[in-house]
Amino acid sequence: MGIIVGLVIAIGCMLGGFVAMGGHLIVIWQPWEFVIIGGMAAGTFVIANPLKTVMDSGKATMEAFTGKGPKRQDFLSLLGLLHALMRELKTKPRNEVETHFDNPTESEIFKNFPEVTKHPDLVLFICDYCRLILIGNARSHEIEALMEEEIGTHTKYKLKPYSAINTVAEALPALGIVAAVLGIVKAMGALDQSPQILGGLIGAALVGTFFGVFASYGVLAPLAIKVKGVREKQCAPYTIIKQTLIAYMNGALPQVAIEHGRKGIAGADRPTIDEVEAATVPGGRAPAAA
Protein backbone atom coordinates (compact mmCIF):
# COMPACT_ATOMS: atom_id res chain seq x y z
CA MET A 1 0.00 0.00 0.00
CA GLY A 2 2.84 2.38 0.85
CA ILE A 3 4.42 1.82 -2.57
CA ILE A 4 1.20 2.72 -4.37
CA VAL A 5 0.66 5.83 -2.25
CA GLY A 6 4.27 6.90 -2.84
CA LEU A 7 3.97 6.42 -6.60
CA VAL A 8 0.74 8.42 -6.70
CA ILE A 9 2.40 11.27 -4.81
CA ALA A 10 5.57 11.21 -6.94
CA ILE A 11 3.84 10.95 -10.32
CA GLY A 12 1.05 13.33 -9.32
CA CYS A 13 3.47 16.04 -8.18
CA MET A 14 5.66 15.56 -11.24
CA LEU A 15 2.84 15.77 -13.77
CA GLY A 16 0.98 18.41 -11.77
CA GLY A 17 4.05 20.61 -11.62
CA PHE A 18 4.66 20.17 -15.36
CA VAL A 19 1.10 21.21 -16.17
CA ALA A 20 1.31 24.15 -13.73
CA MET A 21 4.37 25.40 -15.62
CA GLY A 22 2.30 25.43 -18.80
CA GLY A 23 3.40 22.09 -20.18
CA HIS A 24 1.15 19.77 -22.18
CA LEU A 25 0.94 16.16 -21.01
CA ILE A 26 0.52 14.86 -24.56
CA VAL A 27 4.13 15.90 -25.23
CA ILE A 28 5.36 13.42 -22.62
CA TRP A 29 3.42 10.56 -24.15
CA GLN A 30 6.10 8.96 -26.34
CA PRO A 31 5.29 5.24 -26.23
CA TRP A 32 8.16 4.13 -28.47
CA GLU A 33 10.67 5.82 -26.21
CA PHE A 34 9.15 3.85 -23.35
CA VAL A 35 9.36 0.64 -25.37
CA ILE A 36 13.05 1.21 -26.13
CA ILE A 37 13.95 1.92 -22.50
CA GLY A 38 11.71 -0.73 -20.94
CA GLY A 39 12.79 -3.37 -23.45
CA MET A 40 16.49 -2.70 -22.91
CA ALA A 41 16.01 -2.72 -19.13
CA ALA A 42 14.13 -6.03 -19.24
CA GLY A 43 16.67 -7.55 -21.62
CA THR A 44 19.70 -6.58 -19.56
CA PHE A 45 17.92 -7.80 -16.42
CA VAL A 46 17.43 -11.24 -17.98
CA ILE A 47 21.00 -11.32 -19.30
CA ALA A 48 22.51 -10.46 -15.92
CA ASN A 49 20.53 -12.86 -13.74
CA PRO A 50 19.74 -16.59 -13.71
CA LEU A 51 16.12 -17.58 -14.23
CA LYS A 52 15.67 -18.38 -10.54
CA THR A 53 16.69 -14.84 -9.57
CA VAL A 54 14.43 -13.35 -12.26
CA MET A 55 11.46 -15.29 -10.88
CA ASP A 56 12.39 -14.54 -7.28
CA SER A 57 12.59 -10.82 -8.14
CA GLY A 58 8.96 -10.95 -9.26
CA LYS A 59 8.05 -12.69 -6.01
CA ALA A 60 10.06 -10.18 -3.98
CA THR A 61 8.33 -7.29 -5.74
CA MET A 62 4.91 -8.67 -4.83
CA GLU A 63 6.08 -9.18 -1.24
CA ALA A 64 7.23 -5.54 -1.18
CA PHE A 65 3.82 -4.34 -2.37
CA THR A 66 2.00 -6.44 0.23
CA GLY A 67 4.57 -5.95 3.02
CA LYS A 68 4.87 -9.72 3.43
CA GLY A 69 7.16 -10.07 6.41
CA PRO A 70 6.86 -11.60 9.87
CA LYS A 71 4.47 -9.75 12.15
CA ARG A 72 4.25 -9.49 15.93
CA GLN A 73 2.24 -12.72 16.23
CA ASP A 74 4.76 -14.59 14.07
CA PHE A 75 7.61 -13.58 16.37
CA LEU A 76 5.54 -14.49 19.42
CA SER A 77 4.78 -17.91 17.94
CA LEU A 78 8.47 -18.48 17.19
CA LEU A 79 9.45 -17.66 20.78
CA GLY A 80 6.72 -19.97 22.04
CA LEU A 81 7.98 -22.84 19.89
CA LEU A 82 11.59 -22.32 20.97
CA HIS A 83 10.55 -22.25 24.62
CA ALA A 84 8.59 -25.49 24.26
CA LEU A 85 11.51 -27.21 22.52
CA MET A 86 14.02 -26.04 25.10
CA ARG A 87 11.82 -27.40 27.89
CA GLU A 88 11.77 -30.74 26.10
CA LEU A 89 15.54 -30.67 25.70
CA LYS A 90 15.98 -29.91 29.39
CA THR A 91 13.50 -32.36 30.89
CA LYS A 92 13.08 -35.30 28.48
CA PRO A 93 15.49 -38.09 27.51
CA ARG A 94 17.21 -37.85 24.15
CA ASN A 95 15.23 -40.59 22.40
CA GLU A 96 11.91 -38.86 23.18
CA VAL A 97 13.07 -35.42 22.07
CA GLU A 98 14.65 -36.64 18.83
CA THR A 99 11.26 -37.58 17.41
CA HIS A 100 10.27 -33.90 17.25
CA PHE A 101 13.27 -33.06 15.06
CA ASP A 102 13.23 -36.21 12.93
CA ASN A 103 9.64 -35.62 11.83
CA PRO A 104 8.51 -32.10 12.74
CA THR A 105 5.35 -32.35 10.60
CA GLU A 106 4.07 -35.03 12.99
CA SER A 107 5.33 -33.36 16.17
CA GLU A 108 2.61 -32.12 18.50
CA ILE A 109 4.86 -29.26 19.58
CA PHE A 110 5.41 -28.00 16.04
CA LYS A 111 1.73 -28.45 15.19
CA ASN A 112 0.86 -25.96 17.93
CA PHE A 113 2.75 -23.21 16.09
CA PRO A 114 1.44 -23.07 12.50
CA GLU A 115 2.87 -19.58 11.99
CA VAL A 116 6.32 -21.20 12.13
CA THR A 117 5.64 -24.50 10.37
CA LYS A 118 4.40 -22.73 7.23
CA HIS A 119 8.08 -21.85 6.65
CA PRO A 120 9.87 -25.18 5.96
CA ASP A 121 13.33 -23.56 5.80
CA LEU A 122 12.85 -22.09 9.25
CA VAL A 123 11.72 -25.43 10.68
CA LEU A 124 14.73 -27.16 9.13
CA PHE A 125 17.05 -24.55 10.64
CA ILE A 126 15.59 -25.13 14.11
CA CYS A 127 15.72 -28.91 13.83
CA ASP A 128 19.30 -29.00 12.56
CA TYR A 129 20.71 -27.03 15.46
CA CYS A 130 18.54 -28.67 18.10
CA ARG A 131 19.98 -32.00 16.92
CA LEU A 132 23.47 -30.60 17.45
CA ILE A 133 22.48 -29.55 20.96
CA LEU A 134 21.21 -33.09 21.60
CA ILE A 135 24.61 -34.52 20.70
CA GLY A 136 25.88 -32.87 23.86
CA ASN A 137 29.54 -32.30 23.05
CA ALA A 138 29.17 -29.33 20.69
CA ARG A 139 30.63 -26.06 21.95
CA SER A 140 28.40 -23.01 21.88
CA HIS A 141 30.91 -20.76 20.11
CA GLU A 142 31.35 -23.37 17.37
CA ILE A 143 27.59 -23.65 16.89
CA GLU A 144 27.26 -19.87 16.90
CA ALA A 145 29.89 -19.53 14.17
CA LEU A 146 28.14 -22.19 12.11
CA MET A 147 24.78 -20.45 12.57
CA GLU A 148 26.21 -17.09 11.53
CA GLU A 149 27.70 -18.62 8.41
CA GLU A 150 24.38 -20.21 7.43
CA ILE A 151 22.41 -17.04 8.21
CA GLY A 152 24.84 -15.02 6.11
CA THR A 153 24.43 -17.43 3.18
CA HIS A 154 20.64 -17.38 3.53
CA THR A 155 20.54 -13.58 3.75
CA LYS A 156 22.75 -13.20 0.68
CA TYR A 157 20.41 -15.46 -1.28
CA LYS A 158 17.29 -13.63 -0.10
CA LEU A 159 18.80 -10.25 -1.09
CA LYS A 160 19.64 -11.26 -4.66
CA PRO A 161 16.43 -9.63 -6.01
CA TYR A 162 17.43 -6.38 -4.31
CA SER A 163 20.82 -6.40 -6.02
CA ALA A 164 19.27 -7.33 -9.37
CA ILE A 165 16.61 -4.60 -9.28
CA ASN A 166 19.05 -2.01 -7.97
CA THR A 167 21.48 -2.78 -10.80
CA VAL A 168 18.76 -2.09 -13.38
CA ALA A 169 17.84 1.12 -11.53
CA GLU A 170 21.45 2.30 -11.78
CA ALA A 171 21.50 1.54 -15.51
CA LEU A 172 18.21 3.22 -16.42
CA PRO A 173 19.55 6.80 -16.78
CA ALA A 174 22.09 5.53 -19.33
CA LEU A 175 19.40 3.54 -21.13
CA GLY A 176 17.33 6.72 -21.23
CA ILE A 177 20.24 8.46 -22.92
CA VAL A 178 20.38 5.67 -25.52
CA ALA A 179 16.71 6.26 -26.32
CA ALA A 180 17.33 10.02 -26.45
CA VAL A 181 20.26 9.58 -28.85
CA LEU A 182 18.11 7.45 -31.14
CA GLY A 183 15.49 10.20 -31.04
CA ILE A 184 18.11 12.81 -31.94
CA VAL A 185 19.28 10.64 -34.83
CA LYS A 186 15.71 10.60 -36.06
CA ALA A 187 15.48 14.38 -35.64
CA MET A 188 18.70 14.89 -37.61
CA GLY A 189 17.03 13.19 -40.54
CA ALA A 190 14.37 15.87 -40.52
CA LEU A 191 16.59 18.97 -40.59
CA ASP A 192 14.86 20.10 -43.76
CA GLN A 193 11.49 20.22 -41.97
CA SER A 194 9.92 23.22 -40.30
CA PRO A 195 11.17 24.34 -36.84
CA GLN A 196 7.84 23.22 -35.37
CA ILE A 197 8.28 19.63 -36.58
CA LEU A 198 11.98 19.57 -35.72
CA GLY A 199 11.28 20.92 -32.23
CA GLY A 200 8.68 18.22 -31.66
CA LEU A 201 11.15 15.49 -32.65
CA ILE A 202 13.87 16.85 -30.35
CA GLY A 203 11.37 17.18 -27.50
CA ALA A 204 10.28 13.57 -28.04
CA ALA A 205 13.92 12.48 -27.89
CA LEU A 206 14.48 14.27 -24.60
CA VAL A 207 11.55 12.41 -23.09
CA GLY A 208 13.79 9.33 -23.20
CA THR A 209 16.31 10.95 -20.87
CA PHE A 210 13.51 12.14 -18.60
CA PHE A 211 11.87 8.73 -18.43
CA GLY A 212 15.14 6.89 -17.75
CA VAL A 213 16.07 9.19 -14.86
CA PHE A 214 12.57 9.18 -13.36
CA ALA A 215 12.15 5.41 -13.65
CA SER A 216 15.52 4.95 -11.96
CA TYR A 217 15.39 7.36 -9.03
CA GLY A 218 11.63 7.68 -8.72
CA VAL A 219 10.51 4.06 -9.11
CA LEU A 220 13.04 1.22 -9.25
CA ALA A 221 15.59 2.48 -6.71
CA PRO A 222 12.93 3.04 -3.99
CA LEU A 223 11.34 -0.30 -4.91
CA ALA A 224 14.71 -2.05 -4.50
CA ILE A 225 15.12 -0.51 -1.05
CA LYS A 226 11.63 -1.69 -0.12
CA VAL A 227 12.44 -5.20 -1.34
CA LYS A 228 15.62 -5.16 0.76
CA GLY A 229 13.73 -4.09 3.89
CA VAL A 230 11.08 -6.79 3.51
CA ARG A 231 13.62 -9.52 2.78
CA GLU A 232 15.84 -8.49 5.71
CA LYS A 233 12.81 -8.69 7.98
CA GLN A 234 12.11 -12.19 6.66
CA CYS A 235 15.64 -13.17 7.70
CA ALA A 236 15.22 -11.81 11.25
CA PRO A 237 13.72 -15.05 12.70
CA TYR A 238 16.99 -16.88 12.02
CA THR A 239 18.93 -14.43 14.16
CA ILE A 240 16.32 -14.75 16.91
CA ILE A 241 16.70 -18.53 16.84
CA LYS A 242 20.48 -18.21 17.00
CA GLN A 243 20.43 -15.85 19.97
CA THR A 244 17.93 -18.00 21.85
CA LEU A 245 19.61 -21.37 21.34
CA ILE A 246 23.11 -20.04 22.02
CA ALA A 247 21.90 -18.53 25.30
CA TYR A 248 20.37 -21.90 26.18
CA MET A 249 23.61 -23.72 25.34
CA ASN A 250 25.49 -21.29 27.58
CA GLY A 251 23.35 -22.35 30.54
CA ALA A 252 20.39 -19.96 30.48
CA LEU A 253 17.00 -21.31 31.54
CA PRO A 254 14.44 -21.52 28.69
CA GLN A 255 12.51 -18.49 29.96
CA VAL A 256 15.72 -16.46 30.14
CA ALA A 257 16.99 -17.75 26.79
CA ILE A 258 13.92 -16.53 24.93
CA GLU A 259 14.56 -13.06 26.36
CA HIS A 260 17.81 -13.08 24.40
CA GLY A 261 15.74 -13.78 21.31
CA ARG A 262 13.03 -11.25 22.15
CA LYS A 263 15.62 -8.48 22.40
CA GLY A 264 16.53 -9.15 18.78
CA ILE A 265 13.07 -8.10 17.61
CA ALA A 266 12.95 -4.45 16.64
CA GLY A 267 10.33 -1.77 16.98
CA ALA A 268 6.61 -2.32 17.27
CA ASP A 269 6.93 -6.00 16.32
CA ARG A 270 8.62 -6.87 19.62
CA PRO A 271 6.19 -8.65 22.00
CA THR A 272 6.14 -7.50 25.60
CA ILE A 273 7.44 -9.67 28.43
CA ASP A 274 3.85 -10.29 29.51
CA GLU A 275 2.88 -11.46 26.04
CA VAL A 276 5.84 -13.83 25.89
CA GLU A 277 5.04 -15.14 29.36
CA ALA A 278 1.43 -15.79 28.39
CA ALA A 279 2.58 -17.64 25.28
CA THR A 280 5.23 -19.78 26.95
CA VAL A 281 4.60 -20.37 30.64
CA PRO A 282 1.67 -22.60 31.61
CA GLY A 283 -0.70 -20.48 33.66
CA GLY A 284 1.15 -17.31 32.66
CA ARG A 285 -0.57 -13.98 32.98
CA ALA A 286 -2.44 -12.59 30.01
CA PRO A 287 -0.79 -9.51 28.51
CA ALA A 288 -2.02 -6.21 29.84
CA ALA A 289 -4.50 -4.40 27.65
CA ALA A 290 -3.03 -1.58 25.61
Side-chain angles (χ1 to χ4, degrees), residues 262-273:
R262 189 181 75 88
K263 294 298 183 181
I265 304 172
D269 292 322
R270 180 190 291 177
T272 65
I273 293 178

Side-chain angles (χ1 to χ4, degrees), residues 118-139:
K118 67 182 180 182
H119 302 289
D121 291 344
L122 199 62
V123 172
L124 181 62
F125 185 81
I126 294 171
C127 291
D128 282 349
Y129 289 100
C130 284
R131 285 192 188 97
L132 290 178
I133 294 175
L134 271 177
I135 293 174
N137 60 354
R139 299 177 182 177

Side-chain angles (χ1 to χ4, degrees), residues 205-218:
L206 292 176
V207 168
T209 302
F210 147 74
F211 182 70
V213 173
F214 174 75
S216 172
Y217 297 108

Side-chain angles (χ1 to χ4, degrees), residues 117-203:
T117 55
K118 67 182 180 182
H119 302 289
D121 291 344
L122 199 62
V123 172
L124 181 62
F125 185 81
I126 294 171
C127 291
D128 282 349
Y129 289 100
C130 284
R131 285 192 188 97
L132 290 178
I133 294 175
L134 271 177
I135 293 174
N137 60 354
R139 299 177 182 177
S140 62
H141 68 274
E142 294 174 342
I143 299 300
E144 184 174 11
L146 187 60
M147 283 182 166
E148 288 177 353
E149 183 176 350
E150 182 172 354
I151 291 171
T153 301
H154 179 76
T155 302
K156 183 178 180 180
Y157 172 78
K158 294 290 283 185
L159 292 182
K160 280 185 176 181
Y162 158 72
S163 299
I165 296 171
N166 194 55
T167 299
V168 175
E170 292 174 349
L172 270 172
L175 298 180
I177 292 174
V178 172
V181 169
L182 291 175
I184 293 296
V185 170
K186 177 184 176 183
M188 291 298 99
L191 285 176
D192 58 339
Q193 301 295 319
S194 67
Q196 182 178 4
I197 294 176
L198 188 59
L201 292 174
I202 294 174

Side-chain angles (χ1 to χ4, degrees), residues 72 272-276 278 285-290:
R72 188 186 188 93
T272 65
I273 293 178
D274 287 340
E275 288 174 324
V276 173
R285 293 179 286 117

